[in-house]
């Protein structure tokens, strides 16, 4: 019965994903460019974005299929085999855990590798969105694999700690505390130690730096770290993001955005400062930590009631934990719309802050239109697809929202 349940869950997630992608493709292919975006995209670029969406949709369905097959193989066959084999092993507990989790992780990573190679090396280059070379691709891949392996090693030591504390009546509290500390630590070191392994970060200089300094002071922030990143070694797409907490927090601008007019760069920067202003990163971090505590308690209940053992027919805690994570990822698919709704609300708030700080929404509107064209983003996605998958409002929705702000401001004045 457990096998049927697991297969049903995997197939359900896969089917919904395929249907959402198909609906989005059909909707977007028939869509007419909104009046709001007609000055941003010419007809040739609009058709090119539709063609890019079609190819990406096929690839997304292929990726979902590969993932689903791997999940079924791991849950139904690989984990039981590992459970039996490592049960007979004379190796220490943390080595058994490391071997088990590394094998599973590598299976998912290697199975997805051909899809990732096609997307990065062929598809994005076909649409003139990628600058990446084979050497850069393999360098990134191996670095990422090494980092994930090191994190797996850390998780194995954490497992050893779990074994030591299982005798405690409420061991899940200690587990949740330790994992929470690790999550916060990784969030802090990520922009300082991990991101520089892949890219070069350069402090913004010149007149733009002066404007940014004035900007930050006007906004009442102490954000001293504003960098450009050499994203152009991989992509022609433009972007900006916020990273880090405490002393590591920084605003990062792609070097591909640095040829924009200064007021548009400032508007993008103001948007990122809006995330600081409304404490979006601490809020998301707090939500992640709350989720760690909830999941730790669920795992505690599952073990103490032998629920997982009965459902999955597994005995060892490392195989049970691996299965638990895979099942959570499957169930997490159904939570995505809620999480992404929160993220989109944060983006609207930051857009409003940018318009306020710039005394006009026009610079941000212009930068959004430029980004839409440069990144070949889908200008008219299906509403249901956007609700499920989009962490940002659609380009048309963001621009309409900013234009309404402008009209309200004009009416108020």
């Amino acid at each position: 019965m457990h096998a049927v349940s697991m297969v049903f869950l995997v197939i359900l997630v896969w089917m919904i994903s395929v249907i959402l992608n198909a609906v989005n493709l059909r909707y977007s292919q028939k869509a007419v460019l909104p009046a709001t975006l007609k000055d941003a995209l010419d007809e040739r670029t609009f058709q090119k974005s539709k063609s890019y969406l079609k190819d990406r949709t096929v690839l997304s369905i292929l990726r979902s299929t590969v993932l689903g097959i791997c999940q079924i193989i791991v849950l139904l066959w690989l984990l039981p085999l590992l459970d039996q084999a490592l049960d007979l092993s004379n190796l220490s507990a943390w080595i058994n855990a490391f071997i088990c989790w590394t094998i599973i992780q590598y299976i998912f990573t290697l199975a997805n590798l051909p899809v990732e190679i096609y997307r990065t090396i062929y598809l994005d280059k076909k649409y003139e969105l990628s600058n990446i070379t084979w050497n850069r691709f393999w360098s990134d891949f191996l670095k990422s694999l090494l980092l994930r392996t090191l994190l797996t090693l850390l998780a194995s030591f954490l497992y050893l700690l779990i074994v030591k504390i299982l005798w405690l009546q409420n061991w899940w509290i200690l587990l949740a505390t330790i994992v929470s500390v690790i999550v916060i630590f990784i969030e802090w070191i990520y922009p300082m130690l991990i991101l520089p392994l892949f890219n070069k970060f350069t402090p913004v200089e010149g007149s733009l730096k002066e404007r940014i300094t004035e900007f930050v002071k006007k906004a009442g922030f102490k954000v001293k770290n504003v960098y450009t990143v050499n994203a152009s070694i991989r992509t022609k797409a433009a972007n900006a993001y916020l990273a880090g907490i405490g002393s590591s927090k920084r605003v990062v601008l792609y070097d591909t955005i640095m040829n924009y007019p200064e007021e548009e760069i400032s508007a993008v920067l103001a948007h990122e400062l809006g995330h600081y202003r409304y404490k979006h990163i601490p809020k998301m971090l707090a939500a992640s930590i709350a989720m760690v505590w909830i999941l730790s308690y669920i795992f505690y209940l599952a073990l103490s009631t032998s629920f997982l053992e009965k459902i999955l027919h597994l005995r060892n805690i490392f195989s049970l934990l691996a299965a638990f994570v895979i099942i959570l990822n499957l169930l997490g698919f159904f939570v995505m719309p809620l999480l992404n709704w929160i993220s989109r609300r944060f983006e609207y708030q930051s857009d409003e802050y940018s318009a306020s700080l710039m005394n006009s929404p026009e610079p941000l509107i212009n930068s959004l239109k430029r980004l839409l064209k440069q990144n070949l983003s889908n200008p008219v996605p299906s509403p249901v697809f956007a609700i499920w998958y989009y962490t940002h409002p659609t380009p048309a929705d963001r621009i309409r929202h900013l234009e309404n702000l402008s009209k309200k401001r004009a009416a108020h004045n």
Side-chain angles (χ1 to χ4, degrees), residues 295-329:
L295 294 179
S296 295
Y297 183 65
I298 292 174
F299 188 56
Y300 163 75
L301 288 179
L303 287 184
S304 61
T305 59
S306 299
F307 176 76
L308 281 178
E309 291 94 324
K310 295 173 183 176
I311 293 294
L312 300 172
H313 296 183
L314 300 173
R315 295 184 300 274
N316 293 338
I317 188 173
F318 51 81
S319 53
L320 286 167
L321 184 54
F324 183 69
V325 171
I326 293 172
I327 293 169
L328 282 179
N329 283 331

Side-chain angles (χ1 to χ4, degrees), residues 312-371:
L312 300 172
H313 296 183
L314 300 173
R315 295 184 300 274
N316 293 338
I317 188 173
F318 51 81
S319 53
L320 286 167
L321 184 54
F324 183 69
V325 171
I326 293 172
I327 293 169
L328 282 179
N329 283 331
L330 288 165
L331 296 176
F333 177 79
F334 300 99
V335 185
M336 279 174 56
L338 173 61
L339 298 179
N340 288 336
W341 176 81
I342 295 171
S343 178
R344 290 193 297 271
R345 299 310 303 169
F346 285 171
E347 294 302 324
Y348 276 131
Q349 282 186 319
S350 292
D351 282 352
E352 292 171 8
Y353 186 77
S354 175
S356 174
L357 204 58
M358 296 293 296
N359 296 316
S360 169
E362 289 306 315
L364 185 59
I365 288 174
N366 292 335
S367 68
L368 288 172
K369 290 179 178 180
R370 200 182 300 269
L371 286 167

Side-chain angles (χ1 to χ4, degrees), residues 134-261:
W134 277 105
N135 286 342
R136 178 70 61 183
F137 176 85
W138 286 115
S139 174
D140 288 349
F141 175 76
L142 292 174
K143 286 178 183 176
S144 298
L145 194 63
L146 177 60
L147 280 172
R148 286 195 292 268
T149 303
L150 291 175
L151 287 174
T152 304
L153 188 62
L154 176 63
S156 302
F157 281 112
L158 183 59
Y159 157 74
L160 184 62
L161 180 60
I162 294 173
V163 172
K164 298 293 184 183
I165 65 175
L166 276 177
W167 58 272
L168 295 174
Q169 185 175 1
N170 291 313
W171 56 265
W172 69 273
I173 296 177
L174 182 56
L175 171 63
T177 302
I178 294 170
V179 175
S180 298
V181 171
I182 292 173
V183 168
I184 294 171
F185 179 70
I186 291 176
E187 183 73 26
W188 178 67
I189 67 165
Y190 183 71
M192 297 189 300
L193 295 181
I194 298 177
L195 286 177
L197 293 174
F198 298 89
N199 288 94
K200 181 180 179 181
F201 292 81
T202 307
V204 172
E205 299 291 348
S207 61
L208 182 59
K209 179 183 178 182
E210 295 176 4
R211 181 157 184 165
I212 286 174
T213 303
E214 180 183 331
F215 229 43
V216 172
K217 183 185 292 186
K218 177 183 176 182
F221 290 104
K222 295 181 180 180
V223 181
K224 298 178 182 179
N225 303 316
V226 180
Y227 294 91
T228 58
V229 58
N230 61 337
S232 58
I233 63 175
R234 295 181 182 84
T235 181
K236 294 180 182 178
N239 203 352
Y241 63 88
L242 196 63
I245 55 174
S247 60
S248 75
K249 63 184 179 183
R250 60 195 61 195
V251 174
V252 180
L253 306 171
Y254 278 28
D255 57 355
T256 50
I257 210 174
M258 299 310 290
N259 61 344
Y260 285 23

